Amino acid sequence: MSSPCCGFLAQYTHHHLVAFLLTFFSYVLLHASRKTFSNVKVSISAQWTPSVQNASSPAFSPGETWEKNNLFADSDEATLFLGVLDTIFLFSYAVGLYMSGVIGDRMNLRYVLSFGLCGSAIVEFVFGTLTEWLQFYNIYLYCGLWVLNGLLQSAVWPCVVAVMGNWFGKSGRGFVFGLWSACASVGNILGAFLASSVLKYGYEYAFLVTSVLQFAGGVVVFFGLLTSPKEVGLCLESETSLSPVERDADSHRPLMSDEEDEEEEGSEEVCDGGYYTIQQGDEEPRETPKAIGFCQAFCLPGVLPYSLAYACLKLVNYSFFFWLPFYLSRNFGWKEAQADRLSVWYDVGGIIGGTIQGLISDCMGKRAPVLAVSLLLAMGALVGYSHSPPDQVVNAALLATTGFFIGGPSNMISSAISADLGRQEALRGSQEALATVTGIVDGTGSIGAAAGQYLVSLIESKLGWMCVFYFFIVMVR
């Protein structure tokens, strides 16, 4: 007899593996490029303020030559503007998520996903590389580019979650999505590694490497991704246990029935060996269900509570994402490259946390209790990390623990729970809601994260980092 694990894996084909990997690495590359900005904040801050270390000009050049490169009088002003850029990005990202989820349910997901990846890569190249090569620094240009970048990047997450929801059914979804949702953390690790590897040549090369990789990933997705099992004729029920969400208007009815024979007269659909065979009669094919509206999706059971909870949680998660290397460098005096490498332990904890907590939620058949326990423990982890000694080994261990209890629940809400909400019983007979629901949950979370980034920079500049951690504890609670 085959083991339960083999039986679980037997329901998937190589098409499922390809869809898993392409969507996984799409978001890996997106987050790697996004992480670059947070990893080079110290270098950018130094570039934007008066310093003899300003890399734009030789140390002994005339003052008027390098003074025009300075956007701010001191590092505090530069730090506040970096917080403003984070806020601008996340607000535009949140607005874009509300729109892109609706668009993704009405257009080919492959086109929307490829456009978001390639467009964002071009914007990041202009922001971080081209402006530095041309020695052109302008606050309004940076703000405009980051608004555009947020809108373009917002097209990616709803699309990849929708594709995964199309391929993988509810059975084992917590584990599959828990493993898959590590894509953001893997992207953070890759981005930190790439940035620290080329930072000695200038921060513009960190943007160059990640944007080129992201653009290439968008091209691969355009030519290689299958967004649904039906594109290759796979039978959803036998392959992925997704029979309740087939595109057919009569998916809730038996495949073979006397009533169906009388109504369809010669039209027959047979699922044989995991593939569809369709023989058309004289009758016109029925319309496929239309995508539900934004307000309808927002009013679905569970969407609003999880959206608000994710707003608080994503605020904390993204504060670590945007500010952790900066905090490690400024608070402990470690070199920027060391801080970048050390920050990956938070993401390692998030990867392990998302996978283990997703598996536990599958075994329990419930996700809310797992989230509640993890977030209670997260408060203790935040208190512990706020008192971390200046020892890199201890700091890494505390970071991994914090990432386990914060990054894990964040990954679950944004992926498995969003897929559950977009596939609930209230939507039976209408598949076109997953991207919209995902956009609502992640968009609301991004609004909370956007507000938090400026608050973090403001609280840090006025009250210090300890008060920032108290703020995180309140949000997690």
Side-chain angles (χ1 to χ4, degrees):
M1 294 180 63
S2 60
S3 66
C5 181
C6 293
F8 173 74
L9 295 176
Q11 62 181 317
Y12 303 125
T13 67
H14 70 280
H15 294 294
H16 295 82
L17 178 62
V18 171
F20 184 100
L21 292 177
L22 283 179
T23 53
F24 183 89
F25 283 105
S26 295
Y27 209 66
V28 164
L29 295 175
L30 186 80
H31 245 261
S33 62
R34 190 184 297 177
K35 181 67 173 174
T36 299
F37 180 64
S38 66
N39 284 351
V40 300
K41 277 183 174 178
V42 173
S43 296
I44 293 178
S45 177
Q47 186 75 350
W48 289 349
T49 53
S51 172
V52 294
Q53 302 299 324
N54 192 315
S56 298
S57 302
F60 300 103
S61 63
E64 61 270 12
T65 302
W66 62 269
E67 278 292 342
K68 64 182 180 182
N69 294 335
N70 301 321
L71 294 178
F72 305 99
D74 53 47
S75 60
D76 288 339
E77 289 185 13
T79 301
L80 282 174
F81 182 67
L82 290 172
V84 169
L85 284 178
D86 290 338
T87 302
I88 288 174
F89 171 81
L90 285 172
F91 267 123
S92 60
Y93 182 69
V95 172
L97 282 167
Y98 288 130
M99 298 185 296
S100 61
V102 176
I103 294 171
D105 279 332
R106 288 161 174 78
M107 293 182 64
N108 190 304
L109 292 168
R110 180 165 56 90
Y111 297 157
V112 180
L113 177 56
S114 300
F115 178 76
L117 286 170
C118 294
S120 172
I122 294 171
V123 171
E124 288 164 354
F125 170 78
V126 175
F127 177 92
T129 304
L130 190 61
T131 55
E132 181 62 28
W133 283 350
L134 298 178
Q135 301 289 292
F136 183 78
Y137 310 98
N138 185 277
I139 292 175
Y140 301 106
L141 175 65
Y142 288 138
C143 291
L145 287 173
W146 237 222
V147 168
L148 182 58
N149 191 36
L151 293 174
L152 289 167
Q153 289 201 13
S154 69
V156 177
W157 184 251
C159 291
V160 293
V161 173
V163 171
M164 284 290 293
N166 289 341
W167 280 98
F168 296 89
K170 190 171 184 179
S171 175
R173 180 179 286 160
F175 173 72
V176 172
F177 272 75
L179 184 63
W180 176 83
S181 65
C183 55
S185 298
V186 173
N188 295 343
I189 294 171
L190 178 63
F193 173 76
L194 292 174
S196 61
S197 298
V198 300
L199 193 58
K200 59 184 177 182
Y201 303 109
Y203 74 83
E204 65 271 22
Y205 290 98
F207 282 100
L208 175 64
V209 171
T210 53
S211 61
V212 168
L213 288 175
Q214 182 180 319
F215 188 90
V219 174
V220 172
V221 164
F222 182 83
F223 289 104
L225 180 65
L226 295 172
T227 61
S228 170
K230 287 191 174 183
E231 291 188 14
V232 288
L234 284 176
C235 177
L236 299 182
E237 184 173 9
S238 65
E239 295 296 339
T240 61
S241 302
L242 288 178
S243 54
V245 293
E246 294 181 58
R247 289 186 180 273
D248 299 320
D250 295 324
S251 61
H252 61 286
R253 294 168 54 186
L255 287 176
M256 301 285 290
S257 69
D258 295 335
E259 183 184 356
E260 189 173 10
D261 291 338
E262 291 173 4
E263 290 180 4
E264 298 196 4
E265 293 184 358
S267 177
E268 184 181 357
E269 182 174 357
V270 186
C271 183
D272 182 17
Y275 291 85
Y276 282 111
T277 302
I278 301 176
Q279 297 175 351
Q280 292 288 351
D282 296 332
E283 187 176 302
E284 293 280 335
R286 298 181 179 178
E287 284 188 23
T288 56
K290 293 183 179 180
I292 69 171
F294 178 86
C295 293
Q296 290 175 286
F298 205 93
C299 294
L300 288 171
V303 171
L304 182 58
Y306 274 111
S307 297
L308 295 177
Y310 190 50
C312 297
L313 186 56
K314 192 169 184 177
L315 184 155
V316 179
N317 197 42
Y318 264 57
S319 295
F320 273 92
F321 172 81
F322 282 119
W323 290 102
L324 184 55
F326 187 86
Y327 165 75
L328 292 172
S329 182
R330 287 290 181 89
N331 193 61
F332 295 106
W334 295 327
K335 294 181 179 179
E336 193 173 18
Q338 290 178 317
D340 291 345
R341 294 190 183 97
L342 190 62
S343 68
V344 305
W345 286 103
Y346 179 83
D347 298 297
V348 170
I351 293 172
I352 300 172
T355 305
I356 293 178
Q357 291 170 36
L359 182 59
I360 294 173
S361 70
D362 279 342
C363 296
M364 293 180 61
K366 297 179 180 179
R367 309 208 194 279
V370 179
L371 293 177
V373 172
S374 181
L375 292 178
L376 283 174
L377 296 173
M379 291 189 287
L382 284 169
V383 172
Y385 186 71
S386 66
H387 294 88
S388 173
D391 181 278
Q392 293 192 15
V393 175
V394 175
N395 197 283
L398 292 173
L399 263 182
T401 303
T402 306
F404 184 95
F405 292 118
I406 295 178
S410 179
N411 290 345
M412 282 184 62
I413 293 177
S414 62
S415 58
I417 290 176
S418 293
D420 289 343
L421 294 173
R423 288 281 188 257
Q424 57 185 290
E425 290 296 318
L427 290 168
R428 178 165 290 192
S430 176
Q431 184 181 3
E432 309 301 335
L434 208 159
T436 303
V437 170
T438 302
I440 290 172
V441 174
D442 202 22
T444 306
S446 296
I447 290 176
Q453 300 321 299
Y454 183 73
L455 287 174
V456 167
S457 62
L458 187 63
I459 293 172
E460 188 278 327
S461 62
K462 302 295 183 182
L463 302 173
W465 282 108
M466 187 58 68
C467 290
V468 172
F469 284 105
Y470 291 148
F471 175 60
F472 290 163
I473 293 170
V474 172
M475 290 296 101
V476 169
R477 183 180 177 185

